[in-house]
Amino acid sequence: MKKQMDADVLIIGAGPSGSVAAKMLKQLGHQVVILEKEQFPRFSIGESLLPQCMAFMEDADMLPAVTAEGFQFKNGAAFSRAGKLTEFDFTQKFSAGWGTTFQVPRARFDKVLADSAEAAGVPIHYQQTILAADFSNPGQARLTSVDANGVQKEWRAAMVLDASGFGRVLPRLLNLETPSSLSPRRALFTHIEDRISVADYDRNKILIAIHPKFHEIWYWLIPFSNGRSSLGVVTPAGFLDGRSGEPLAVLREIVMEEPRLAELLQDSRFDTPANTIGGYSANVKQLYGQGFALLGNAGEFLDPVFSSGVTIAMKSAALAVPLVDRQLRGQSVNWSVEYEQALRKGIEVFRAYVEAWYDGRFQKIIFEEHQLASVKAMICSILAGYAWDEENPMTQRPANKIEAIADVYPTL
């Protein structure tokens, strides 16, 4: 490493994609430094992992630390609509690989990953806000940060990976942001002491429920191992404008409109203020450039409905790391084909299912009583995060596949 460099690779953000990428690069012998805006542990939404994530954590040698935390076991997803319940067991999926995972309070989970990277020798500088980025000098990227005390510092490295999540540091600084093709929506959410005692409730699955009148409105209930749950609702952007009251009271009111949730949460304690986030769907002009690449949500975020965010984040890290390694060793890399196109293949699969969820086609398939076992297994793979499995027919021209299957099912 050149003396004037602070690292081979600077990573913006210590969330899942940043920590996984850092640990993998360190394993390959590179000097890595992470610059994180917040102080961990810190709250983050997106608590339900997909089984595909397990392979990435395994490759980064993080899985033992995660497993030791005693997080809530997860083996599938349950869907509720108008009193009808259907379940998907991820161990019955079409694709090879992990069929189980965890549901995690993200503050604790993200710190476990960050601590694992730090224990491997990756310095993490917390409370560092990135003010500027300069990639004009090939082979020497520069970032300028300011800490909590107002002290500025310039950092230099051969490569920068932006894993800043919704902070989207480089897209903002480099004017890479473009409008999302998805309709704007808003999420209202909290953590509760769930006190669920209903006999047929399965804590090993995320519950996704649909509003009895408006199929575009859906809820999540993600149980944790400590008797608490993440609870939220996603609505069209202006839907909640007509509801008055404190956000937590509004959330409870709309949650109780769904029969299954009303039954499960009748004794729950809504003891934590509700938060809201909107306009979260995002896109960029490109996922890489001279001296940098965008990981996870910093590049693109679709929608929380299938919990794909952490999976896409970790997949992006797994794709980028070997390319960064080769580039640092002076080998040629085709970032367009090997990273952008490769990552977007799975993202576009998820996008097709998100769009079909909101227009109702995928909901028809989910709740079909006479689902073919083979089709259910293929769909199960998508729900488990295996959107990059090209052996699965449901990942090939997914919009057409969804349309063809939905057309043969009766209207809900």
Side-chain angles (χ1 to χ4, degrees), residues 141-205:
R142 292 188 295 173
L143 298 178
T144 303
S145 71
V146 60
D147 66 17
N149 296 316
V151 178
Q152 291 191 24
K153 177 176 171 58
E154 186 173 275
W155 305 82
R156 300 185 182 188
M159 186 76 183
V160 173
L161 296 178
D162 185 354
S164 59
F166 291 121
R168 300 171 62 75
V169 170
L170 292 187
R172 288 187 294 101
L173 292 176
L174 303 180
N175 193 29
L176 298 176
E177 295 183 301
T178 59
S180 172
S181 62
L182 299 173
S183 299
R185 295 184 174 86
R186 178 161 293 277
L188 181 63
F189 53 89
T190 189
H191 284 183
I192 63 173
E193 181 183 340
D194 60 65
R195 298 184 176 185
I196 298 173
S197 59
V198 177
D200 65 346
Y201 176 62
D202 186 355
R203 294 191 76 88
N204 295 336
K205 293 178 175 62

Side-chain angles (χ1 to χ4, degrees), residues 330-342:
Q331 301 172 22
S332 63
V333 175
N334 188 331
W335 281 93
S336 176
V337 173
E338 298 178 83
Y339 183 66
E340 177 130 16
Q341 292 181 31

Side-chain angles (χ1 to χ4, degrees), residues 354-375:
V354 168
E355 290 175 344
W357 171 266
Y358 283 107
D359 68 26
R361 291 173 297 151
F362 192 44
Q363 292 184 25
K364 285 176 63 177
I365 296 172
I366 288 288
F367 289 98
E368 169 56 37
E369 291 183 4
H370 305 291
Q371 189 81 256
L372 287 174
S374 59
V375 172

Side-chain angles (χ1 to χ4, degrees), residues 79-86 207-215 217 219 257-261 263 363 367 369 412:
F79 295 85
S80 172
R81 177 170 178 167
K84 185 175 182 179
L85 189 69
T86 186
L207 174 62
I208 297 173
I210 302 166
H211 193 279
K213 292 183 180 179
F214 308 104
H215 77 267
I217 298 175
Y219 313 80
E257 292 173 6
E258 203 286 315
R260 178 63 174 173
L261 290 175
E263 176 190 24
Q363 292 184 25
F367 289 98
E369 291 183 4
L412 286 173

Side-chain angles (χ1 to χ4, degrees), residues 80-120:
S80 172
R81 177 170 178 167
K84 185 175 182 179
L85 189 69
T86 186
E87 296 184 344
F88 286 78
D89 182 343
F90 290 162
T91 66
Q92 302 301 311
K93 61 184 173 27
F94 172 89
S95 304
W98 284 87
T100 63
T101 186
F102 301 108
Q103 309 202 114
V104 298
R106 283 287 302 279
R108 194 164 127 223
F109 173 73
D110 288 10
K111 190 168 191 308
V112 169
L113 298 188
D115 287 350
S116 178
E118 201 164 27

Side-chain angles (χ1 to χ4, degrees), residues 188-189 240 244-254 273-276:
L188 181 63
F189 53 89
L240 295 175
S244 60
E246 291 296 317
L248 187 63
V250 171
L251 175 60
R252 180 166 189 160
E253 178 186 47
I254 194 170
N275 293 314
T276 184

